[in-house]
Amino acid sequence: MLWASEHTEDGAATLPDIAEWFTARIGRELGPSPWHTVTPEDVRRFADATHDWQWIHLDGEQARSGPYGRPVAHGFYTLSLVPHLTSTLLDLRWTSLGLNYRVDRVRFPAVLPVGARVRALAHVKSVRVRPRDFLEVVLAVSVTAEGQSAPVCTVDHTRLYRLAPGARLPVDGPVDFVPDPRPAS
């Protein structure tokens, strides 16, 4: 059995190695992510997928006379951007699988105007090895819209990751994750 600080004979990292790496980064700020533009087409597709066609999201004319003076994105649309935005904050090349496991403490302190640009800041809140060879990583995430002082969403986002064969320790800083094109053996 390998100790947490040991590597396999081929130099690959173990799940405890990865857990130790993330644990050393608890509380460290990650980000910001690149900007993401919230388009009217994306909001319409989200409305169609969720059957939430409320005028405040889709009818520009009526929304202009509403409480926010313009169309705003669904809160759950904003929340649904969290996995995408935070994936740019971590080096995930060591993973073979990532699953959304839970969201806690979700808040929408400000509205997200349609057409705005958003990005995420996060910090690692906790890490633990879970059954079935998963690593649980909890990120405290804040999604902000350009030009707004209050975040449009805050959430504790928990993901489960599975270690890829031959994985190496992650590196600090944003890294574009490119899946390994080799067929699985």
Side-chain angles (χ1 to χ4, degrees):
M1 168 159 247
L2 297 172
W3 293 96
S5 61
E6 294 182 83
H7 299 283
T8 62
E9 286 182 22
D10 66 355
T14 64
L15 196 58
D17 290 334
I18 304 289
E20 185 177 302
W21 187 90
F22 272 99
T23 298
R25 284 148 182 84
I26 289 177
R28 184 183 295 179
E29 186 172 273
L30 307 171
S33 69
W35 288 108
H36 172 84
T37 301
V38 176
T39 68
E41 297 78 24
D42 287 342
V43 172
R44 166 61 69 182
R45 284 193 295 268
F46 186 85
D48 290 343
T50 61
H51 301 268
D52 181 354
W53 298 288
Q54 196 172 136
W55 60 266
I56 199 163
H57 308 301
L58 304 172
D59 185 334
E61 187 173 317
Q62 190 173 359
R64 276 188 278 288
S65 63
Y68 304 111
R70 60 192 170 204
V72 296
H74 305 73
F76 283 173
Y77 171 78
T78 307
L79 180 62
S80 75
L81 293 174
V82 168
H84 164 68
L85 295 172
T86 59
S87 70
T88 66
L89 303 178
L90 301 170
D91 175 7
L92 298 175
R93 292 177 293 182
W94 61 273
T95 66
S96 66
L97 174 67
L99 302 170
N100 293 314
Y101 184 63
R102 62 188 282 176
V103 292
D104 295 293
R105 304 179 48 79
V106 177
R107 302 290 185 271
F108 303 106
V111 297
L112 174 56
V114 174
R117 294 188 328 155
V118 294
R119 65 182 177 184
L121 291 169
H123 70 267
V124 178
K125 192 168 181 177
S126 67
V127 178
R128 68 181 173 143
V129 176
R130 296 291 307 262
R132 298 182 11 211
D133 296 323
F134 280 105
L135 182 67
E136 177 184 284
V137 177
V138 180
L139 295 178
V141 181
S142 178
V143 178
T144 59
E146 190 172 33
Q148 290 185 203
S149 57
V152 295
C153 181
T154 59
V155 60
D156 289 348
H157 180 221
T158 303
R159 290 188 51 92
L160 300 178
Y161 295 104
R162 181 145 303 148
L163 187 68
R168 301 287 187 244
L169 286 176
V171 297
D172 285 317
V175 176
D176 290 332
F177 175 61
V178 179
D180 187 348
R182 296 174 294 176
S185 50

